[in-house]
Amino acid sequence: MGAVLDSENLKQSQSWAGAAVELQRRFFETGATRSYDFRLRQLTKLKDAIVKYQEEIQDALKADIGRPPFEAYIEISTAIEDLKHTLKHLKSWMKPKKVGTSMWAQPGRSRIESTPQGVTFLLGPYNYPFLLLVQPLIGSIAAGNTAILKPSSLNPTVANVIEKMMKECFSDEYVAVFKGSTEVTNALLEERFDHIFFTGSPRVGRIVMAAAAKHLTKVTLELGGKSPTIVHKDANLKVAARRILSGKMLNVGQTCIAPDHVHVHADIRDAFAKEMVETLREFYGDEPSQNPDLGRMINDRHFERVVALIDKAKVLVGGQTDAGQRYIAPTLLKDVSMDDAIMQEEIFGPVLPMLTYSTLEELIVNLKKLPEHPLALYLFTSSDQVERQVLDNTQFGGGCINNTVMHVANPNLPFGGVGESGMGAYHGKNSFDAFSHKRSILKATTLFDIKFRYAPYKDKVNMLKKMIK
């Protein structure tokens, strides 16, 4: 299964994007990607390649985004676990599902088949440049498609490793990688794909969706939002502080589901603030800038944007910055209101504003003031009643009770947003379903034939009326 054209040759031609898509479409139409055995082999090759290249992936993540080795291996191991889960369950996912058959469709049997969509286009983000490109690829391969990958241009070292891995595993007619700037992305978006999967900001998500609309292409958009965290007065404060700060400071806050702001019940405000300060010191010491467990902002633009959101008059702890290193200290802000500038946009950095509420009704009113529905919500409470009241009165993609971020690690849970925070869901079987077309099949018998639905109708309408009654 050799490649007809490689990525570099395609780029040298005037219509390289069209040629790349056509190359994959011709291969898809051979039917080679459809069998269970083929998909199993490709997923196994991908898993083995990740294990082989794990050191290079770790080094690339360090080079591009300053990722600590432990966090890098979280990213790598999550991809491997997703692959293991998919390999274990793929055969059952592919089996047609038998469903009931209505009266009008008799005599017959009905089933739903999961069929491949065709040529898919996967666009990765800069914050988790390896995992959030590989996870959609797992779903695309599992569903029997071909894939064109576009890593973020902000992660050139990671992009090089991904390209090297994919060339070793696959031909360009099956899985191809295209690196480069926005011009490369825009050229590919002009082409007709069967599914586009994008992870990134709502602003770029609109551009992707507009491009897809020209061809009526199905899209999955994994975006972001100001994910709230709630600490009620009955919460375990020590556990809450650890889990909130762990989720927030992962990748120095550059995580789409990171706790974006914390709403603390007035009765525990001071005790919780003290616990948060102590926990930060426990995690990163008195000189966080020297701590190897903290990464850096991806570029100067994002560094300056986050620094501008820090109100120095409200800093409880942290606030130090170093433009030369793109370093922002883990920062807690106190006495923040819903009208403050930091509450008007997603922070995407190591700054955590803390707000206060007195009643759940007040809290819910404030949450509804957020610009859009968030991607995640986190609630710390020991009360089932409080849990139910918050969940019943808020809308968000997914979340945790008494934890943060970890719902993303469960392949049995769909991961996706709502409204501004995303469209569609994936992970585990949800990835397989996202990249599959659910095809309905009714198979009728010819051994006997019920003539009731045929003309002439005569007085059959009266019989129908009696049936409806």
Side-chain angles (χ1 to χ4, degrees), residues 71 128 229 239-260 276 279 283-284 349-350 352 378 380 403-406:
E71 292 186 8
Y128 292 89
T229 300
V239 170
R242 287 176 176 170
R243 293 178 181 176
I244 292 168
L245 288 173
S246 175
K248 176 63 178 180
M249 299 306 162
L250 185 68
N251 197 24
V252 288
Q254 297 171 111
T255 303
C256 58
I257 53 171
D260 185 88
M276 291 284 277
T279 302
F283 281 5
Y284 303 113
L352 186 60
Y378 308 115
F380 288 82
N403 210 339
T404 66
V405 177
M406 288 297 106

Side-chain angles (χ1 to χ4, degrees), residues 65 67-68 71 126-128 224-227 244-261 280 284 293-298 302 305-306 309 326 328-331 345-353 405:
I65 202 167
R67 177 137 318 144
E71 292 186 8
Y126 73 78
N127 59 334
Y128 292 89
K226 292 188 69 63
S227 299
I244 292 168
L245 288 173
S246 175
K248 176 63 178 180
M249 299 306 162
L250 185 68
N251 197 24
V252 288
Q254 297 171 111
T255 303
C256 58
I257 53 171
D260 185 88
H261 49 287
L280 264 185
Y284 303 113
D293 295 334
L294 276 175
R296 297 295 185 263
M297 299 300 295
I298 184 67
H302 284 288
R305 180 186 60 79
V306 175
L309 294 175
R326 297 195 300 273
I328 301 175
T331 300
E345 63 178 88
E346 185 178 8
I347 299 168
F348 225 65
V351 181
L352 186 60
V405 177

Side-chain angles (χ1 to χ4, degrees), residues 172-455:
D172 286 345
E173 62 188 350
Y174 180 49
V175 176
V177 178
F178 287 93
K179 302 177 296 183
S181 65
T182 304
E183 292 179 357
V184 174
T185 303
N186 290 342
L188 286 164
L189 284 173
E190 288 294 320
E191 302 303 320
R192 182 177 68 84
F193 290 93
D194 299 291
H195 192 123
I196 298 176
F197 191 107
F198 169 77
T199 303
S201 69
R203 179 185 65 83
V204 181
R206 289 184 175 88
I207 296 172
V208 171
M209 192 169 182
K214 296 177 184 177
H215 303 289
L216 295 180
T217 299
K218 181 182 176 183
V219 296
T220 300
L221 302 178
E222 295 297 339
L223 308 176
K226 292 188 69 63
S227 299
T229 300
I230 302 155
V231 183
H232 201 52
K233 59 184 177 181
D234 59 357
N236 183 319
L237 301 189
K238 184 175 288 292
V239 170
R242 287 176 176 170
R243 293 178 181 176
I244 292 168
L245 288 173
S246 175
K248 176 63 178 180
M249 299 306 162
L250 185 68
N251 197 24
V252 288
Q254 297 171 111
T255 303
C256 58
I257 53 171
D260 185 88
H261 49 287
V262 181
H263 299 256
V264 186
H265 194 280
D267 290 358
I268 58 165
R269 180 187 64 177
D270 294 340
F272 181 69
K274 180 181 178 182
E275 197 69 57
M276 291 284 277
V277 172
E278 291 177 355
T279 302
L280 264 185
R281 186 175 294 112
E282 176 188 332
F283 281 5
Y284 303 113
D286 293 325
E287 292 292 340
S289 63
Q290 306 303 312
N291 195 302
D293 295 334
L294 276 175
R296 297 295 185 263
M297 299 300 295
I298 184 67
N299 59 23
D300 293 340
R301 181 172 67 86
H302 284 288
F303 168 83
E304 293 165 1
R305 180 186 60 79
V306 175
V307 169
L309 294 175
I310 300 175
D311 183 345
K312 293 183 179 179
K314 296 187 176 183
V315 172
L316 175 64
V317 66
Q320 300 85 5
T321 64
D322 183 340
Q325 296 187 46
R326 297 195 300 273
Y327 165 77
I328 301 175
T331 300
L332 302 178
L333 301 181
K334 61 181 179 178
D335 302 327
V336 175
S337 76
M338 293 296 293
D339 297 325
D340 287 355
I342 199 165
M343 292 302 296
Q344 308 313 309
E345 63 178 88
E346 185 178 8
I347 299 168
F348 225 65
V351 181
L352 186 60
M354 295 192 292
L355 302 86
T356 305
Y357 70 95
S358 298
T359 66
L360 286 177
E361 290 75 18
E362 175 194 352
L363 167 70
I364 290 166
V365 168
N366 281 335
L367 292 180
K368 290 182 177 179
K369 291 179 182 178
L370 292 173
E372 297 290 344
H373 301 311
L375 182 56
L377 181 144
Y378 308 115
L379 170 63
F380 288 82
T381 182
S382 58
S383 167
D384 292 343
Q385 182 179 349
V386 170
E387 173 186 333
R388 197 68 262 160
Q389 186 173 349
V390 171
L391 295 183
D392 286 347
N393 289 280
T394 53
Q395 195 168 2
F396 56 94
C400 304
I401 308 299
N402 295 321
N403 210 339
T404 66
V405 177
M406 288 297 106
H407 64 295
V408 76
N410 184 353
N412 297 298
L413 291 174
F415 178 77
V418 56
E420 186 86 358
S421 60
M423 178 182 300
Y426 74 127
H427 287 186
K429 186 176 185 296
N430 294 284
S431 292
F432 175 83
D433 290 339
F435 286 100
S436 297
H437 167 63
K438 300 300 181 184
R439 185 167 64 186
S440 302
I441 302 294
L442 172 72
K443 185 174 182 179
T445 182
T446 58
L447 295 178
F448 61 97
D449 194 22
I450 300 173
K451 297 181 179 180
F452 182 77
R453 66 187 175 107
Y454 302 143

Side-chain angles (χ1 to χ4, degrees), residues 137-183:
L137 176 62
I138 294 169
S140 180
I141 290 175
N145 305 291
T146 68
I148 288 178
L149 278 57
K150 174 58 178 67
S152 170
S153 60
L154 298 180
N155 310 100
T157 317
V158 174
N160 287 339
V161 176
I162 289 175
E163 182 182 47
K164 183 179 176 182
M165 280 180 51
M166 297 307 162
K167 280 187 174 293
E168 184 175 299
C169 291
F170 313 116
S171 65
D172 286 345
E173 62 188 350
Y174 180 49
V175 176
V177 178
F178 287 93
K179 302 177 296 183
S181 65
T182 304
E183 292 179 357

